[in-house]
Every structure is written in C-alpha cells, then in structure tokens.
Amino acid sequence: MSTALGNLARRFAAYVRAQVVAWRSGSNESQVFALLVLLACVSVSFIVSWNAYELMPLTAYFVWLLVGMLLLRFAPLVLVAAYVGLASTTSMVHEGPVTGAHAAALLSLFVAIALILYQASRQRSGLPMPLSEALLVNLRNRLQSKGSVPELPAGWEAQSALLAANGARYAGDFLVADLRQGRHLEMVLVDVCGKGLAAGPQALQFAGALGGLIGALPPRELMLAANDFLLRQHSDETFSTAVHLLVDLVDGSYSITSAGHPPALHWHALTADGQRAWEIDNARGTALGIMPDPELHGSVGQLAPGDALMFYTDGVVESRDSDLDTGIAWLQDVAREAVRLGFSGAARRILRRVDRGDDDRAVLILARSVDSEVRVGGASTTGG
C-alpha cells in the first residue's frame, strides 16, 4: 500500500513539474491548462460561498484575481476576471440583502479587476508578469556573462566592476573578452548611448554583435565592423564609445584602439623619476555609429612586470561639476591610492569613491604581477 502511494506521489510530482516547465515556456497549451485550473478553483469557491458565505466571502475572490495575474496572459485573464466578478456578485446577492459594506467590497473588487486588467494589457511582451521578469533577468545575465574575462595564465589578473545608473540592474556599459591559444587576450569595453534601463536593450544587441566579431578580425577592422553595425540601426541614439585592447600575455606587448572613449591609464611600477603613477595613454578616436569612416587612433606599448592598464567609462570621470580633464586627474589620484593594497579588488575600490550619479560607471583593470611566468606551448618567459 505504501509503495503504491509512493509511486502515485512521484507521478503526481512529475506531472506538476511538467506543467510548471510547460508554463515557463509560455505555450498556448500551458495557458489553457492554467485557465481551466483557475476556473475550477473559482467554481469551488462559488459552491462554498453559496452554501456558507462566511467561509468564502466576496473578498476571498481577490486571491484568484492575483493568481490569474501571475499565471495568465491578458486574454485568458479577462475570462477569469469576468468569471470572478460574476461568481462573487451572485454569491453575495444570494447571501442576503446587499448592505453598504457589501456594496463597498463589491466596488473594491471591480476596481481591482479593472486595475489588474489594465496592468496586464500593458505587458508588451505578451507574457504573464513573472515570465516577463524572468525574460528580463535572462537578458541581463546574458549581457553580464559576455563580460566575464576568461581565466588568465599565472602572472596576470583582470578585474572589472560596474554600477548602473540610479541603482538599476541594467546598464549601457559592457565588456566582451576573448582569449586565444592561452596567449592573446582581447577585450572591448563599450559605453552605449543612454544609461540604465534605457540603454540595456541596445547594449545587449551590440554585445551580441561584438561577441561574434571579437577574435575574428584585427582590432581596427573589428571597430569598423562594429561601426557599420550601429549605422545599420538607422537611429540617432545608437552611437557608442569603445576601447579595444589586444595583449600578448607572453611578452606583455599590447595595442589599444580607441573610438571616442576616455583615455586609458597605464600604471608604471617604476617611472623614470623613480615614482609610481598612472600615466595617460594617447589612443584617441571618434565614437562609433556617427559617421561611415570614424577616426580610430591607436597606441602600442608593453606591460612590464608590476604594470597595469585601466579602462573606464565616462560616468567615472565626468560630472556636472567637473570636466573630463579634471575627472581624469581625480581618477589618477584615487587609482593610485586604490592599488596601494594591491590590484585585487582595486576596480571596486575605485568605483566606491565615485559619487552616485545618473550615469553608468565601469572600470576594467588588467595587471601583470611583479614575478610572473607565462607558459604557452611549452615556452616560458619570466619577469621580475
């Protein structure tokens, strides 16, 4: 007997899981199933309230409205709302004379029905609210996953930190990265037009395009292809600034290609005057998505052991109270303090010093340790 009950329970659990999975797919069949279940629940509530109104008063029908809003699309939700209104009104009239309190409760129910239907009609995705939220979260996670830097060889460390405008979880700043043969690291930091939620969809679309281009084209050609992609969007609000970095993780040589992005900073473990400082890189250019042939000025250099490169978006250095040059000077001082404890966590320490504002902010740091040994294909180089 217990075995039979156990098998029955497992089958029922499997059936429930299958229905939940089907509902998450947003299929028409799952919507019909959810609709029938809710109609059945309302029917049971009506039978209870018809025979014992005190057990199922009019206010209890609010539960089915809320469940319907969570599970159903607009069209089936209208059917549930109409059935709830009819069942609750009929049971209340059958219970006895309609008092002022009954009338107020009935009015509240129909106002709730109107508000719920209005909200459901505004769901442009055509999905129930939880599925729409899950879709947005999935898109956000996809955008963030593109910004994960591959695991680097010993002696190298890459870190990034991002804060979206106004505390939102969607931003117009993003990073794409690629590591080839364990030796050539390629990264692109992008700041799309707009900020926060408004820039999120454009950032996701552009990140997908760059994710397919990175590693397949040389730096300049990649930036030109990205520019063509933005121009094909035929919108005045699709321009972006970007900076491309290509590093040889064996000898530390690098090239930077900038398209309207704030200048990179190079940390020298030991400068000519014996000091340690963040120096401004000279790569410049014009933003992507504005003209067919943007100016792309690059720079080359080498990361010696103990050196680092830092890239950032304009939200870090620009504000209403200061210009770009003042902001960069401020960042040089803050970043010098941030790396006194080492490079680990420096990107987050820098962002914590940035005043909360209405723009997205991102910091990317690539550092080479003082004592580094990189092995690629059996060969090794040692610094320090």
Side-chain angles (χ1 to χ4, degrees):
M1 183 64 178
S2 60
T3 302
L5 290 176
N7 290 335
L8 182 61
R10 284 191 291 271
R11 290 180 182 178
F12 179 75
Y15 177 76
V16 171
R17 285 195 297 270
Q19 294 303 322
V20 171
V21 171
W23 175 78
R24 288 176 177 171
S25 71
S27 65
N28 292 331
E29 293 79 6
S30 66
Q31 286 290 293
V32 171
F33 178 81
L35 172 63
L36 293 177
V37 170
L38 273 174
L39 292 179
C41 291
V42 176
S43 298
V44 172
S45 298
F46 175 72
I47 293 173
V48 173
S49 60
W50 183 273
N51 294 281
Y53 185 79
E54 66 278 3
L55 297 179
M56 185 63 65
L58 181 141
T59 53
Y61 286 88
F62 279 89
V63 174
W64 306 126
L65 284 176
L66 295 176
V67 173
M69 182 180 68
L70 294 175
L71 297 182
L72 299 176
R73 296 178 181 175
F74 179 70
L77 180 59
V78 171
L79 295 177
V80 170
Y83 191 36
V84 165
L86 177 62
S88 59
T89 303
T90 302
S91 62
M92 187 187 67
V93 171
H94 176 264
E95 191 267 341
V98 178
T99 64
H102 288 161
L106 187 62
L107 177 62
S108 299
L109 178 67
F110 280 98
V111 169
I113 289 175
L115 292 175
I116 287 174
L117 292 180
Y118 173 77
Q119 176 62 30
S121 68
R122 302 291 293 178
Q123 291 290 110
R124 296 185 178 182
S125 66
L127 297 173
M129 189 179 301
L131 290 184
S132 296
E133 175 68 16
L135 178 62
L136 289 175
V137 171
N138 185 40
L139 293 177
R140 182 199 66 192
N141 292 341
R142 285 177 179 268
L143 177 58
Q144 293 177 343
S145 67
K146 292 180 180 295
S148 59
V149 180
E151 184 176 353
L152 301 182
W156 292 89
E157 177 185 0
Q159 57 179 290
S160 62
L162 169 67
L163 283 177
N166 302 315
R169 295 188 177 183
Y170 301 86
D173 297 347
F174 68 88
L175 167 72
V176 293
D178 180 60
L179 178 62
R180 301 190 303 278
Q181 301 174 340
R183 172 170 182 168
H184 297 103
L185 174 65
E186 195 169 356
M187 298 188 291
V188 184
L189 180 63
V190 180
D191 182 359
V192 304
C193 174
K195 53 199 173 187
L197 293 175
Q202 181 185 338
L204 179 67
Q205 185 182 35
F206 196 22
L210 282 177
L213 294 173
I214 193 169
L217 294 173
R220 179 177 177 82
E221 283 70 17
L222 183 148
M223 298 291 256
L224 292 176
N227 183 68
D228 292 341
F229 173 83
L230 292 178
L231 290 176
R232 289 197 301 271
Q233 307 310 306
H234 303 294
S235 171
D236 295 333
E237 298 183 352
T238 55
F239 68 89
S240 305
T241 66
V243 59
H244 178 282
L245 171 67
L246 178 61
V247 186
D248 187 327
L249 299 180
V250 171
D251 60 18
S253 61
Y254 68 83
S255 66
I256 297 175
T257 306
S258 179
H261 213 74
L265 298 180
H266 185 161
W267 173 261
H268 292 276
L270 190 63
T271 60
D273 58 1
Q275 302 297 317
R276 296 190 298 175
W278 289 99
E279 295 185 352
I280 299 176
D281 184 81
N282 60 7
R284 300 292 189 274
T286 56
L288 304 176
I290 297 178
M291 59 183 66
D293 188 18
E295 294 185 12
L296 300 174
H297 301 293
S299 65
V300 296
Q302 186 168 22
L303 285 173
D307 284 6
L309 287 171
M310 179 168 64
F311 305 89
Y312 50 93
T313 55
D314 58 9
V316 176
V317 294
E318 288 186 341
S319 68
R320 298 176 182 177
D321 302 326
S322 63
D323 58 18
L324 180 61
D325 291 337
T326 302
I328 293 175
W330 171 87
L331 178 60
Q332 288 175 290
D333 292 336
V334 169
R336 183 168 56 249
E337 296 177 9
V339 300
R340 285 180 180 176
L341 301 175
F343 287 104
S344 180
R348 294 189 179 277
R349 290 195 292 271
I350 291 171
L351 277 194
R352 282 198 292 266
R353 295 285 303 276
V354 179
D355 292 336
R356 293 281 179 173
D358 59 354
D359 199 0
D360 302 323
R361 288 142 287 170
V363 173
L364 168 66
I365 296 177
L366 175 68
R368 186 178 186 183
S369 64
V370 174
D371 297 316
S372 59
E373 180 177 346
V374 181
R375 296 183 178 273
V376 180
S380 68
T381 63
T382 303

